[in-house]
Amino acid sequence: MKKILIIFVLLFAFTSCQKDSKGYVINGKIEGVPDGKKVTLLAYDKGKAINIDSTTVKSEKFKLKGSIANPDIHVLTVEDLAGTLQFILVNKKLNITVYKDSLGLSLIEGSKENDVAQEYRKIASSFRIQNDSARAKVQQAR
């Protein structure tokens, strides 16, 4: 009985660890975008865009599934929306809340990699605002 319990625990641990390697699932919410608009997942190789997957919006939601060999920066575009959303695609479940008026500032949840990247974007944005303000003051002083 003890051996069976140990085997069960090891089997459970092994399969739990492999869930991430099965691939990614992107669940997206996108308020105010009509059904049928195309959502495209792109990768870049040597500066050239490669279409990885696409789907359409239905009831203000979309879903993309697949698998990648290694985490990498990918881009999400939405038909008729300006801008792109850059994020780190990993073989995990990601939830993306798309802000249609500022696609690049959309919320990405589900991976530590994107948490760090979003924190960096917030800090960089703060520095840009301070820099722009200082530049405007210098130009006014001239």
Side-chain angles (χ1 to χ4, degrees):
M1 180 69 172
K2 190 175 181 182
K3 287 183 180 181
I4 293 174
L5 181 60
I6 291 172
I7 291 172
F8 178 73
V9 170
L10 290 174
L11 184 61
F12 177 75
F14 180 74
T15 58
S16 294
C17 291
Q18 285 197 334
K19 283 186 180 178
D20 289 348
S21 66
K22 289 185 180 179
Y24 63 84
V25 176
I26 300 172
N27 292 308
K29 292 189 286 184
I30 182 165
E31 291 184 6
V33 173
D35 287 358
K37 293 295 178 181
K38 187 175 182 180
V39 177
T40 305
L41 178 64
L42 302 169
Y44 282 88
D45 185 27
K46 298 175 185 170
K48 184 177 178 183
I50 301 166
N51 186 342
I52 301 298
D53 197 4
S54 64
T55 189
T56 55
V57 174
K58 184 176 181 185
S59 301
E60 298 184 334
K61 295 179 183 178
F62 64 90
K63 187 174 199 168
L64 296 162
K65 294 170 84 172
S67 180
I68 56 170
N70 297 302
D72 203 357
I73 296 175
H74 283 67
V75 175
L76 197 72
T77 63
V78 181
E79 180 183 358
D80 295 338
L81 294 187
T84 62
L85 172 61
Q86 292 185 0
F87 66 101
I88 301 168
L89 184 61
V90 292
N91 284 326
K92 294 183 179 181
K93 179 181 174 186
L94 300 176
N95 296 309
I96 299 180
T97 302
V98 176
Y99 304 132
K100 70 175 191 170
D101 296 326
S102 53
L103 198 60
L105 299 176
S106 298
L107 179 63
I108 305 153
E109 299 174 304
S111 75
K112 291 178 185 177
E113 296 87 351
N114 284 296
D115 292 345
V116 171
Q118 284 188 291
E119 189 61 32
Y120 169 78
R121 280 195 285 272
K122 285 180 190 175
I123 292 168
S125 176
S126 174
F127 282 129
R128 267 194 302 277
I129 291 168
Q130 290 174 0
N131 189 29
D132 291 347
S133 175
R135 183 179 299 128
K137 287 178 184 177
V138 168
Q139 288 180 352
Q140 283 180 346
R142 289 183 181 180

